Amino acid sequence: MTSPDTLKVGTPFDPADARRTAEAPRLEASLDDKKPLMSAQQALAEANRCLYCADAPCIKACPTAIDIPTFIRKISTGNLAGSARAILDANILGLSCARVCPTEVLCEGDCVYNEMDSPPIKIGKLQRVATEYAYDRGLQFFERGAARPGRVAIVGGGPAGLACAHELARLGFESVIFEGRELPGGLNSTGVAPYKLQLPDAIREVSYVLEIGGIELRTGVKVGQDLTFAQLEADFDAIFVGVGLGPDGVLDIEGEDLEGVVGATVWIERMKLEPGFGLGGVKKAAIIGGGNTAIDVVRELRGLGVDDVVMIYRKDGAAMSGYEHEWSAARIEGARAQFWTQPVGFTGEGGKVTGVRCLSLKPMGPDESGRAWVEPIPGSESVIGADLVVLAVGQSKLESMMSAVEGLAFDKGRLVVDAETGQCSNPRYFAGGDCANGGKEVVNAAAEGKRAARGLARFLDARAQQEADHG
Ligand code: SF4
């Protein structure tokens, strides 16, 4: 690979260094694995329950279309390497997806056993058995394709960027990933709940993806600051954008700047990555929001031993966007909710937060147009005591980061992409993951990164052909 100026910024990824960093003591390491690895006997018994359905609904429910009956059958015959290969062939992030996928609403949610009032096949757990078998033995199934002309800059070293880079390598194209943080992995490293996946495994997966070759990864490079999109356009044939979402949303209410009021992704990232970061004696925590990030924080704080963890949400449990199974688990673990409640400010003492000032809400409507809304109940103000308040009210989009690029279309802050190819309205740009889908699962990002790699291959081949035709 040639070395243009763009390859001098940041630090080349060193798997051994990253592994050492990941193994330093961090708060997330004290949280238990909620879905521990099955034993070989358990895996065999579970695999033997599978009906190997024709036209299997579980495959259709998987965004990466893993051939689930095939990988399960291979487990049942003791061919764990073949099983892992089938998984990773469809989804190179199969190791992390086995842990972090909401299987309850994806493959397992569509397993035919649900219609027979029997528990669905534990597909996620079986996938974990097979992929960990391969990783533990250093089994590498993939190699670079024969070289084809075309180099791609990948902005963002998270699931979408990694999946895109790996598929490009299999297709014979070189790529350079520019990751803004010091550690790659995106949400798998910085944001996934530690009872599902922790940093050492996220780094292990990144290293595995890169083993194929033809992918250079440079960390600590903020595109837009350390490197411009114009430089990338000058040095690369095409650009894939997989930058995820932006900073935590805020409420803009009184007291939000008090110590102890933090954004959810900031708090999770510190808990997962920062050596020495601790709870600092927190006894009462309030989490504002009703999505999956809010529930993750609730469960993490309970798991870390915080006595009183309350989720504050402006509607009721049925209206929450977080998964029902995750909220049920949080309640079993001792969390509670304060529904129909709206924060209007924070109380503090000595610069530190002491509570959340709230109003009770009442549901209104629906009106003639079917619209429902909530209204504050006059005189209902109360204070919920808290020495930590975590705001999980969404994340901003990174549209402004891309403002210097001509011809990109956005819809509500999301990059608009072609549904078949992931190509943006500026044809040299492709995108996938949260910045294009608005915030979905790791498995969606993996699928969209791979889709874009195939779109990029068509684009680069056409470009090379054009250049050949014009001598
Ligand atoms: Fe096996 Fe369930 Fe998929 Fe059928 S739907 S192939 S039983 S996992």
Side-chain angles (χ1 to χ4, degrees):
M1 186 179 286
T2 54
S3 290
D5 287 348
T6 38
L7 296 189
K8 293 180 187 148
V9 292
T11 310
F13 175 70
D14 177 337
D17 260 5
R19 201 166 50 245
R20 273 192 294 279
T21 306
E23 280 163 6
R26 292 161 297 104
L27 194 52
E28 75 159 358
S30 57
L31 284 161
D32 291 336
D33 188 341
K34 300 272 188 206
K35 287 185 182 172
L37 189 64
M38 278 177 162
S39 68
Q41 291 89 337
Q42 286 171 327
L44 190 61
E46 189 65 9
N48 280 325
R49 284 182 63 225
C50 181
L51 304 171
Y52 311 119
C53 308
D55 206 17
C58 53
I59 302 178
K60 292 191 187 119
C62 172
T64 56
I66 292 174
D67 187 344
I68 292 164
T70 294
F71 96 67
I72 294 179
R73 191 187 287 275
K74 287 180 190 296
I75 292 176
S76 76
T77 59
N79 181 5
L80 286 163
S83 177
R85 187 191 181 103
I87 294 162
L88 298 172
D89 184 45
N91 178 3
I92 191 59
L93 300 184
L95 180 86
S96 59
C97 286
R99 309 260 202 111
V100 309
C101 261
T103 51
E104 295 83 348
V105 296
L106 293 175
C107 53
E108 293 174 23
D110 276 17
C111 174
V112 294
Y113 270 112
N114 293 297
E115 287 163 26
M116 303 178 224
D117 282 336
S118 291
I121 301 292
K122 295 184 174 73
I123 300 168
K125 284 193 157 200
L126 290 174
Q127 182 168 320
R128 180 171 172 183
V129 167
T131 51
E132 291 198 12
Y133 176 91
Y135 268 66
D136 290 348
R137 286 157 184 78
L139 303 180
Q140 181 56 256
F141 304 111
F142 309 104
E143 55 187 40
R144 286 173 75 181
R148 286 153 82 171
R151 297 174 68 240
V152 179
I154 295 181
V155 186
L162 291 165
C164 181
H166 191 267
E167 187 67 10
L168 283 170
R170 290 182 76 181
L171 294 168
F173 298 99
E174 293 182 337
S175 66
V176 181
I177 303 175
F178 298 98
E179 164 57 43
R181 290 185 171 82
E182 297 306 321
L183 286 175
L187 273 184
N188 275 351
S189 296
T190 65
V192 164
Y195 46 83
K196 297 176 186 165
L197 182 77
Q198 300 200 359
L199 184 59
D201 280 314
I203 295 300
R204 195 179 178 208
E205 183 167 69
V206 173
S207 305
Y208 186 89
V209 170
L210 299 185
E211 272 174 24
I212 191 171
I215 307 169
E216 184 161 349
L217 168 57
R218 298 193 75 85
T219 59
V221 185
K222 291 194 167 40
V223 175
Q225 293 175 28
D226 306 317
L227 201 57
T228 64
F229 281 98
Q231 283 173 285
L232 296 184
E233 288 177 18
D235 284 341
F236 294 88
D237 298 293
I239 297 157
F240 174 80
V241 182
V243 292
L245 296 174
D248 289 301
V250 294
L251 294 173
D252 270 332
I253 55 177
E254 189 189 354
E256 206 159 346
D257 56 350
L258 287 162
E259 188 183 325
V261 181
V262 293
T265 67
V266 169
W267 186 83
I268 294 170
E269 186 168 337
R270 293 190 74 190
M271 184 252 314
K272 284 180 71 72
L273 297 188
E274 190 175 306
F277 176 68
L279 281 178
V282 168
K283 291 198 167 48
K284 291 181 180 180
I287 293 79
I288 299 172
N292 286 313
T293 303
I295 299 172
D296 278 353
V297 177
V298 163
R299 296 189 67 189
E300 285 153 13
L301 286 165
R302 281 295 301 143
L304 290 167
V306 176
D307 293 335
D308 185 12
V309 179
V310 57
M311 188 164 76
I312 299 173
Y313 182 56
R314 61 203 307 275
K315 292 187 178 172
D316 62 5
M320 279 166 44
S321 61
Y323 293 124
E324 196 183 330
H325 64 271
E326 294 280 356
W327 176 236
S328 298
R331 284 208 329 253
I332 290 166
E333 289 159 10
R336 64 191 176 92
Q338 185 92 20
F339 290 134
W340 303 111
T341 302
Q342 177 179 347
V344 291
F346 300 100
T347 57
E349 217 176 281
K352 292 187 176 170
V353 72
T354 55
V356 188
R357 283 176 39 233
C358 296
L359 282 175
S360 298
L361 301 171
K362 60 180 171 186
M364 305 292 288
D367 61 15
E368 284 140 20
S369 66
R371 191 181 70 98
W373 68 97
V374 291
E375 266 188 19
I377 300 172
S380 63
E381 184 164 327
S382 62
V383 174
I384 298 173
D387 36 24
L388 173 69
V389 178
V390 182
L391 307 179
V393 292
Q395 288 173 258
S396 63
K397 310 286 189 304
L398 285 170
E399 182 175 350
S400 59
M401 171 187 175
M402 310 285 301
S403 59
V405 181
E406 282 182 18
L408 289 179
F410 291 87
D411 176 21
K412 298 187 186 126
R414 293 178 289 204
L415 269 167
V416 174
V417 298
D418 181 88
E420 297 295 316
T421 63
Q423 191 169 31
C424 300
S425 45
N426 176 330
R428 285 183 71 194
Y429 282 79
F430 291 71
D434 288 355
C435 65
N437 65 33
K440 289 189 176 175
E441 304 295 338
V442 171
V443 69
N444 298 98
E448 292 167 24
K450 185 173 180 179
R451 171 187 71 181
R454 294 179 172 183
L456 278 155
R458 281 202 287 279
F459 173 79
L460 294 169
D461 284 347
R463 194 177 158 95
Q465 187 60 51
Q466 266 176 7
E467 280 171 15
D469 291 347
H470 292 96

